[in-house]
């Protein structure tokens, strides 16, 4: 094995798997802990350096993903390689550049620094990380707004849509610009409703939504007869669906796979054609489709009925599903979106839980919505990992909780 880097009396191998962690000084260990998202490790083992190093080593070799990250951090922080020269390194980013600077500072002063300097290292790490995380989020947001502008055929220049958006959004814009019915299928809390609102903003359209259930009636599509006229006379009151259909705009039928399949067959004509009839509105029974009406349905399943996760879902009629054939879009949780909503340590915590849920095939969800809510509480009240765990696992049985957290 080749030893090509030297700091003081220490000589370090090229690969972290060949490293004797006992060779590393506390200052370098401290920065590596931050890079591996273990900010509390040094506090937990404050008076036991051996246990501290063993915990970091275990984290580095936990799985293939953490090993790759550990190698990258090791090259950056300990060996002093830059992002451009590190073998097998990912493209340079804000985080890596941050740790290049911190690592250089620590290496240059490693032999001189005392206990007080170690405390100074902690302050530097915390301050620089906080500053760079804020900068990274701004970079992400700016990139999302300026990277690969979406061209909308025949509708002029699109409006600017703020925020980090998943790749499915461009297909949504294409379909909606041609007024094709869209069906978004994805797990709970992955941002389907959020994307619909963003789409309406991108196309400068009015937006309405309707949550679906088996208790829905035809009034959702037909409106109601109510005694709101002079002397209690009955008048027809339109529904949000009718308004969007006649006046234009984007209409979302949320959780369509939880609704009554027979009810949706009633509007199949309205979806595929240019009008439908509402007898209750006797003065104007024919409801004509506006040229700028666009329908979106959101679902957790493909309309084939309930599964082990979404037990309250219905099988939708094939004629209804055919209306959305060209506009079917599947989506999942998107890490770029989630990174723009929450700090890195929260995202890493959530992603690890999600990965373990899937690996153990549990009927549990770690949604983008949960990450966003956790991020809001963390920003407002400085929640820590223990708070996240206490909240997220509150209703879980102990055996499943230990399985997901990797506790023996």
């Amino acid at each position: 094995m080749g030893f090509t880097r030297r700091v003081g009396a220490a000589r370090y191998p090229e690969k972290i798997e060949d490293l004797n962690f006992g060779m590393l000084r506390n200052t370098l260990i401290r920065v590596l802990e931050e890079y591996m998202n273990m900010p509390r490790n040094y506090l937990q083992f404050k008076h036991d350096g051996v246990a501290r190093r063993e915990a970091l080593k275990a984290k580095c070799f936990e799985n293939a993903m953490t090993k790759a990250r550990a190698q990258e951090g090791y090259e950056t922080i300990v060996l002093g390689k830059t992002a451009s020269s590190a073998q097998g390194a990912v493209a340079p980013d804000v985080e890596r550049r941050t740790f290049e600077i911190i690592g250089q500072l620590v290496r240059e002063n490693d032999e001189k620094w005392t206990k007080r300097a170690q405390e100074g290292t902690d302050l530097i790490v915390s301050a620089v990380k906080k500053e760079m995380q804020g900068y990274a989020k701004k970079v992400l947001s700016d990139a999302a707004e300026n990277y690969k502008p979406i061209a909308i055929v025949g509708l002029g220049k699109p409006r600017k849509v703020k925020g980090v958006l998943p790749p499915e959004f461009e297909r949504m814009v294409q379909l909606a610009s041609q007024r094709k019915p869209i069906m978004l299928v994805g797990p709970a809390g992955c941002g389907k409703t959020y994307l619909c609102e963003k789409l309406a903003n991108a196309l400068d359209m009015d937006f309405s939504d309707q949550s679906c259930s088996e208790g829905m009636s035809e009034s959702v599509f037909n409106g109601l007869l109510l005694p709101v006229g002079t002397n209690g006379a009955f008048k027809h009151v339109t529904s949000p669906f009718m308004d969007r259909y006649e006046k234009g705009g984007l209409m979302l039928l949320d959780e369509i796979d939880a609704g009554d399949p027979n009810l949706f067959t009633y509007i199949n004509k309205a979806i595929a054609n240019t009008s439908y009839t509402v007898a209750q509105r006797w003065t104007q029974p024919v409801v004509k489709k506006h040229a700028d009406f666009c329908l979106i349905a959101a679902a957790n399943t493909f309309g084939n009925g309930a599964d082990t996760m979404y037990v309250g879902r219905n099988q939708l009629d094939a004629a209804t599903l055919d209306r959305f054939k060209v506009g079917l879009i599947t989506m999942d949780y998107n890490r770029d979106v989630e990174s723009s909503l929450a700090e890195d340590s929260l995202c890493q915590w959530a992603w690890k839980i999600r990965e373990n849920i899937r690996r153990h095939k549990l009927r549990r969800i770690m949604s983008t919505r949960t990450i966003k809510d956790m991020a809001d509480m963390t920003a407002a009240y400085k929640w820590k990992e223990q708070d996240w765990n206490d909240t997220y696992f509150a209703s879980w049985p102990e055996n499943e909780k230990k399985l997901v957290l990797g506790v023996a």
Side-chain angles (χ1 to χ4, degrees):
M1 104 183 83
F3 294 83
T4 59
R5 293 291 185 276
R6 181 183 180 89
V7 180
R11 294 155 62 92
Y12 301 118
E14 291 289 332
K15 295 183 178 180
I16 193 170
E17 61 194 45
D18 298 324
L19 173 67
N20 176 359
F21 279 68
M23 298 169 63
L24 295 178
R25 294 177 180 270
N26 286 338
T27 47
L28 289 173
I29 287 287
R30 174 74 178 92
V31 184
L32 271 174
E33 286 169 336
E34 285 289 342
Y35 197 83
M36 295 306 296
N37 300 305
M38 300 177 69
R40 296 166 62 181
N41 191 52
Y42 77 103
L43 292 174
Q44 184 178 357
F45 301 108
K46 194 170 184 179
H47 303 294
D48 190 345
V50 174
R52 178 181 176 186
R53 284 163 169 76
E54 285 300 314
L56 175 60
K57 183 177 180 180
K59 176 67 174 180
C60 289
F61 301 113
E62 186 175 57
N63 54 50
M65 186 170 13
T66 58
K67 183 179 177 181
R69 180 175 175 82
Q71 178 66 29
E72 182 180 281
Y74 174 66
E75 292 179 0
T76 302
I77 297 162
V78 179
L79 302 186
K81 290 185 178 182
T82 62
S84 59
S85 65
Q87 296 178 355
V90 298
D93 56 15
V94 174
E95 179 191 46
R96 180 144 192 184
R97 181 56 185 153
T98 301
F99 280 95
E100 280 181 11
I101 296 169
I102 297 174
Q104 181 181 356
L105 178 63
V106 171
R107 289 192 308 276
E108 289 176 352
N109 296 276
D110 195 45
E111 292 187 328
K112 306 174 187 176
W113 282 6
T114 62
K115 181 179 179 182
R116 179 172 293 181
Q118 169 69 32
E119 295 172 354
T121 305
D122 295 344
L123 293 175
I124 292 171
V125 169
S126 299
V128 174
K129 272 193 69 180
K130 184 176 180 181
E131 183 71 23
M132 294 303 281
Q133 282 174 353
Y135 175 68
K137 286 191 176 185
K138 183 178 185 303
V139 170
L140 272 173
S141 180
D142 291 346
E145 292 182 31
N146 296 299
Y147 174 71
K148 196 178 180 182
I150 299 172
I152 304 178
V153 178
L155 295 178
K157 186 178 179 181
R159 292 168 53 135
K160 216 171 195 180
V161 184
K162 295 183 178 180
V164 179
L165 299 167
E168 295 85 3
F169 188 72
E170 183 173 5
R171 177 59 60 87
M172 291 176 64
V173 170
Q174 292 173 354
L175 291 163
S177 71
Q178 300 303 306
R179 307 305 185 238
K180 302 300 181 185
I182 300 169
M183 185 170 180
L184 288 179
V185 179
C190 67
K192 297 185 291 296
T193 304
Y194 167 79
L195 280 189
C196 292
E197 293 172 349
K198 288 290 185 181
L199 179 63
N201 178 263
L203 299 179
D204 194 18
M205 300 174 76
D206 291 328
F207 176 74
S208 299
D209 67 320
Q210 171 69 51
S211 294
C212 299
S213 71
E214 285 192 341
M216 287 173 59
S217 72
E218 290 181 1
S219 62
V220 169
F221 307 117
N222 289 348
L224 293 165
L225 278 177
L226 297 175
V228 294
T230 305
N231 298 321
F234 279 83
K235 292 185 66 175
H236 180 266
V237 178
T238 61
S239 66
F241 180 89
M242 287 186 68
D243 283 341
R244 296 286 71 78
Y245 195 88
E246 285 190 307
K247 300 175 183 178
L250 193 150
M251 180 70 203
L252 168 64
L253 296 178
D254 201 12
E255 300 191 272
I256 190 174
D257 52 345
D260 184 343
N262 290 313
L263 178 61
F264 298 126
T265 62
Y266 173 78
I267 61 162
N268 282 347
K269 179 179 182 293
I271 298 173
N273 299 314
T274 59
S275 67
Y276 71 106
T277 302
V278 175
Q280 296 95 317
R281 193 173 68 174
W282 57 90
T283 58
Q284 190 183 348
V286 179
V287 184
K288 295 182 179 180
K289 183 192 289 186
H290 193 281
D292 288 333
F293 170 73
C294 186
L295 180 66
I296 298 186
N300 297 129
T301 69
F302 288 95
N304 297 321
D307 58 24
T308 56
M309 181 68 75
Y310 301 103
V311 297
R313 306 302 164 172
N314 294 318
Q315 185 174 357
L316 297 179
D317 191 88
T320 300
L321 292 174
D322 186 64
R323 265 65 177 178
F324 297 95
K325 192 66 176 178
V326 172
L328 180 63
I329 298 175
T330 59
M331 59 184 295
D332 202 346
Y333 305 114
N334 184 280
R335 289 194 173 190
D336 288 339
V337 173
E338 291 169 347
S339 293
S340 73
L341 299 175
E343 63 182 44
D344 184 63
S345 59
L346 174 55
C347 286
Q348 294 295 334
W349 168 83
W351 295 340
K352 181 178 179 180
I353 288 175
R354 182 184 293 156
E355 180 183 334
N356 287 339
I357 286 173
R358 289 176 172 174
R359 182 156 58 90
H360 294 293
K361 299 179 179 178
L362 299 177
R363 291 176 54 192
R364 301 288 179 179
I365 293 171
M366 172 58 77
S367 68
T368 303
R369 178 168 46 231
T370 296
I371 294 174
K372 173 64 167 62
D373 290 343
M374 290 284 193
D376 291 342
M377 297 307 297
T378 298
Y381 294 101
K382 311 300 180 187
W383 276 19
K384 305 297 182 184
E385 185 171 340
Q386 189 60 53
D387 300 302
W388 306 336
N389 283 329
D390 290 345
T391 301
Y392 182 74
F393 292 107
S395 62
W396 284 46
E398 196 64 24
N399 63 319
E400 287 190 1
K401 177 180 176 180
K402 289 182 178 180
L403 196 64
V404 169
L405 289 176
V407 179

